[in-house]
Amino acid sequence: MKLATFNNGHRDGLLLVVSADLRHAVLAEPFATLQMALENWADAEPVLRAQYQALNTDNIQGRFAFDPAQACAPLPRAYQWCDGSAFLNHAHLMQQAFGLPPLANESIPLMYQGSGDDFLGPCDDVPLPDERHGIDFEGEFAVIVDDVPMGCPASEALQHVRLVMLVNDVSLRGFLQHEVGTGFGFFQAKPSSSFSPAAVTPEVLGDAWRDGRVCLPLSVTWNEGRFGQPNGAEMTFSFADLIAHAARTRRLRAGTIIGSGTVSNRDRSAGSACISERRAIEMIEHGEPRTGFMRFGDRIRIEALDAQGASVFGAIDQLIVAAPSPSQDARP
């Protein structure tokens, strides 16, 4: 099943059921928003699934063409957005390039809590205040869970995964060193993240959903040029591990989003899913970074294709733009 959210001008949008080929959609009545469906999943899932099946067989009224440009993030705002760093290859490259000390304990995932109040849609411009802040993209996978009890073990965590989607975790590298050095972690370095047009239930992925990992290549294109295609199968910590880590001392409420962190592979021919990793590789190989960060007017596209070459989630396809002044920002 594939779900999306139509941007109707309100903060939470309108929930849509989207066809398998991402070409058509219907309103997901009677569940107005994805948050409502997640909080009532036992009742919502069979209703939405029936609509999905009818939509795929052209046996439903009210269907219309699905336009990703009119979509919000599947969950336009979340009570909790927890982003991990589940690919240790990425951490090892950073350590080698910048002479950083090794992680104190590589058996424990890294995770930070980001801002979940204002996500961007898949085709929304990414407004940022200054090019000098070191604008970077980060291609990731993410899951949305239902209610997870405190202390949930990894062995039981995947039963709480309801949906899977893509993320562009926009990063401002110019703030990172200072914020990490304070010991308090990221804040200004992490503006609003963007998500794929559709969020899909795990069975849509078929064999590509294995051991709590999305085993698909993540295609990243920057200004029409291939940047990387690393595969999610190399995730060191699975989503089961990340969910259990997040729930160790708190319960997670329905609608919590857990991110994988930058997808990264040991085989460098796969490329990278963020500029910072490419710069680290350049430092290792050439003694200095040769790739600059993003500029206003740059375009980033992130997409995952299945074995048949079909887009699973739809594409994140965005321009980086100068943010308007506060008086011009009239978003509701």
Side-chain angles (χ1 to χ4, degrees), residues 87-169:
F87 293 83
L88 282 182
N89 181 67
H90 177 74
H92 293 161
L93 287 171
M94 295 298 142
Q95 291 163 10
Q96 183 179 354
F98 297 102
L100 302 174
L103 298 174
N105 189 339
E106 290 196 348
S107 66
I108 301 175
L110 297 176
M111 184 173 285
Y112 77 92
Q113 189 161 350
S115 58
D117 60 317
D118 186 28
F119 294 140
L120 298 176
C123 301
D124 290 348
D125 291 344
V126 180
L128 295 168
D130 196 324
E131 290 180 338
R132 294 172 295 179
H133 290 160
I135 303 168
D136 201 353
F137 49 81
E138 289 192 50
E140 307 183 15
F141 295 104
V143 298
I144 306 176
V145 299
D146 63 7
D147 288 329
V148 180
M150 184 190 304
C152 177
S155 60
E156 299 176 9
L158 293 183
Q159 69 187 24
H160 296 287
V161 173
R162 293 292 165 246
L163 296 163
V164 186
M165 54 188 177
L166 305 181
V167 189
N168 177 17
D169 180 41

Side-chain angles (χ1 to χ4, degrees), residues 246-304:
R248 183 176 183 183
T249 60
R250 67 178 79 176
R251 60 187 178 182
L252 311 179
R253 287 305 200 181
T256 294
I257 302 174
I258 307 288
S260 69
T262 304
V263 180
S264 180
N265 289 174
R266 290 183 294 274
D267 181 359
R268 293 182 185 173
S269 68
S272 299
C274 72
I275 299 172
S276 184
E277 181 172 295
R278 176 179 281 189
R279 287 167 60 89
I281 292 171
E282 291 170 344
M283 290 180 67
I284 293 167
E285 294 182 347
H286 307 292
E288 62 180 2
R290 297 181 174 182
T291 301
F293 291 110
M294 300 187 83
R295 306 292 298 272
F296 295 147
D298 282 3
R299 179 177 294 277
I300 179 66
R301 182 182 177 93
I302 300 171
E303 191 171 21

Side-chain angles (χ1 to χ4, degrees), residues 9 16 19 35 62 71 79 82 122 141 148 182 193 216 236 259 272 302 320 324:
L16 305 178
S19 61
Q35 184 65 39
Y79 290 116
C82 304
F141 295 104
V148 180
T182 66
S193 295
L216 290 173
T236 309
S272 299
I302 300 171
I320 307 299

Side-chain angles (χ1 to χ4, degrees), residues 179-238:
E179 293 190 336
V180 171
T182 66
F184 265 50
F186 307 139
F187 195 85
Q188 292 176 338
K190 294 292 185 177
S192 296
S193 295
S194 313
F195 293 83
S196 53
V200 310
T201 46
E203 84 282 348
V204 166
L205 298 171
D207 292 340
W209 178 248
R210 298 195 303 273
D211 302 320
R213 295 166 172 84
V214 182
C215 301
L216 290 173
L218 188 66
S219 175
V220 180
T221 303
W222 178 15
N223 288 339
E224 311 304 326
R226 176 189 181 275
F227 194 83
Q229 202 168 17
N231 197 299
E234 283 194 29
M235 198 174 175
T236 309
F237 300 103
S238 70

Side-chain angles (χ1 to χ4, degrees), residues 304-319:
L305 306 182
D306 64 18
Q308 289 72 46
S311 184
V312 178
F313 309 91
I316 297 172
D317 193 350
Q318 301 179 293
L319 285 175

